[in-house]
Amino acid sequence: MTIDWAAFTPWAALAGGALIGLAAAMFILLNGRIAGISGIVGGLLNPQTGDVTWRIMFVLGMLLAPAVWLLAADMPGIQIDADYPLLIIAGLLVGISTRYGAGCTSGHGVCGISRLSPRSVIATLAFMATGFLTVFIMRHVLS
Amino acid sequence: MNKTFISAFVTGLIFGIGLLVSGMANPDKVLSFLDLAGAWDPSLALVMAGAIAVGLIAFTLVRGRSQSLLGEPLRLPTKKAIDRRLVLGSLGFGVGWGLAGFCPGPALVALGAGELKAAVFVGAMLAGMGLFELLEHRKPTTGQPAKSH
């Protein structure tokens, strides 16, 4: 393993992480809910009366984050190397699996570990493991 | 407007800005973390550490409470079982995450930044979530309903 020191951004990572943690904290303290993106978005596909508006507001906030960011700074680079067929396969897999496994990086990885949930620790270890394995196969076996 | 709607919007906004600050809205940086055998960028681990450090405080504060500060019921997940759904779902999610470098939050932020490829990913993700709902509600629920985060 070689660390790419030029790419490593420890302070921005910690600061951005703290903001993500602040969002998770606000959501449980104010709304009494877990800030899990797959659950919030997925709930819109099985809409229940009185359970839709807050989800839309949360998603709107996320979608508008880049616009608010642009008021203060230039857009950071977003580099998406995957081609369209791969994006479609990845998107389908992420959509169905996060709902089946009841969470993603935010719900299990941030909120679940923060509340010391053994389920979320196992989930996070599982998706990290296949994430590492998938990138290894894509970058070092298939190419 | 209902206060909880405003707080949901502000929470989404802060979450999204956190993803931009941390660099996690950029799939290339996420994949550099997942590529242990390449030139490894450990940043994502510190994003998790920063988020969990703050999250730990919040989830300690709500312990024993039954209501949020805005008077909403506290909806903490109640499931405890480490079952097949949890493990298989999470394993599958990791594969999808590793294929493109996108998980749901960063994909929404990149879509908001006007990235066409993020729009395609989010469209496919919504289709996947819709497919889950169809499969879930076609058969009478034999197991527990999918309680989600």
Side-chain angles (χ1 to χ4, degrees), chain B residues 11 14 31 41-42 47 50 52 55 57 59 64 66 71 73 76 81 87 111 113 121 130-133 144-145 147:
Chain B
T11 302
I14 293 176
L31 291 176
D41 177 358
V47 179
I52 290 166
I57 300 170
F59 284 100
S66 60
L76 290 168
V87 175
L111 168 60
F121 178 91
L131 193 61
F132 168 82
E133 295 294 340
Q144 316 92 317
K147 189 74 193 136

Side-chain angles (χ1 to χ4, degrees), chain A residues 1-5 7-43 45-46 50 53-55 57-69 75-84 86-120 122-124 126-136 138-140, chain B residues 1 3-22 25-29 31-44 46-56 58-59 61-63 67-77 79-100 102-106 108-113 115-118 120-121 124-133 135-137 146-149:
Chain A
M1 178 191 292
T2 46
I3 293 183
D4 186 350
W5 292 105
F8 185 35
T9 48
W11 298 113
L14 278 172
L19 280 175
I20 293 168
L22 174 67
M26 281 176 62
F27 215 44
I28 193 66
L29 290 169
L30 296 174
N31 287 44
R33 290 182 183 275
I34 298 287
I37 314 301
S38 58
I40 292 172
V41 175
L45 295 167
N46 178 23
T53 313
W54 70 270
R55 295 176 190 273
M57 295 301 285
F58 189 102
V59 171
L60 270 180
M62 293 203 82
L63 290 172
L64 288 175
V68 172
W69 172 277
M75 203 60 209
I78 296 179
Q79 187 187 331
I80 307 166
D81 289 335
D83 58 15
Y84 287 103
L86 191 59
L87 284 164
I88 291 171
I89 295 166
L92 282 170
L93 199 50
V94 167
I96 198 163
S97 316
T98 52
R99 297 297 285 143
Y100 194 66
C104 58
T105 10
S106 49
H108 282 313
V110 174
C111 296
I113 294 183
S114 291
R115 43 181 209 97
L116 310 174
S117 152
R119 259 173 70 82
S120 291
I122 296 291
T124 304
F127 67 66
M128 286 282 178
T130 47
F132 286 130
L133 189 66
T134 302
V135 172
F136 182 79
M138 295 287 288
R139 291 197 171 177
H140 304 286
Chain B
M1 187 182 273
K3 279 180 192 162
T4 61
F5 296 161
I6 296 169
S7 59
F9 176 79
V10 174
T11 302
L13 195 60
I14 293 176
F15 202 115
I17 290 172
L19 287 169
L20 286 167
V21 170
S22 64
N26 179 8
D28 185 55
K29 193 165 176 69
L31 291 176
S32 297
F33 170 79
L34 291 175
D35 188 7
L36 287 175
W40 191 50
D41 177 358
S43 301
L44 189 146
L46 290 187
V47 179
M48 296 281 293
I52 290 166
V54 178
L56 271 172
F59 284 100
L61 287 175
V62 297
R63 197 163 293 161
Q67 275 199 334
S68 79
L69 298 175
L70 295 179
E72 294 286 301
L74 271 189
R75 296 181 178 86
L76 290 168
K79 281 176 84 173
K80 295 267 185 282
I82 292 164
D83 52 13
R84 207 177 60 130
R85 295 176 71 107
L86 177 83
V87 175
L88 281 183
S90 300
L91 290 172
F93 164 49
V95 174
W97 190 35
L99 286 177
F102 267 139
C103 53
L108 289 177
V109 174
L111 168 60
E115 295 288 338
L116 179 60
K117 282 183 161 182
V120 171
F121 178 91
M125 181 179 84
L126 290 173
M129 289 174 168
L131 193 61
F132 168 82
E133 295 294 340
L135 296 171
E136 201 59 6
H137 296 109
K147 189 74 193 136
S148 168
H149 290 177

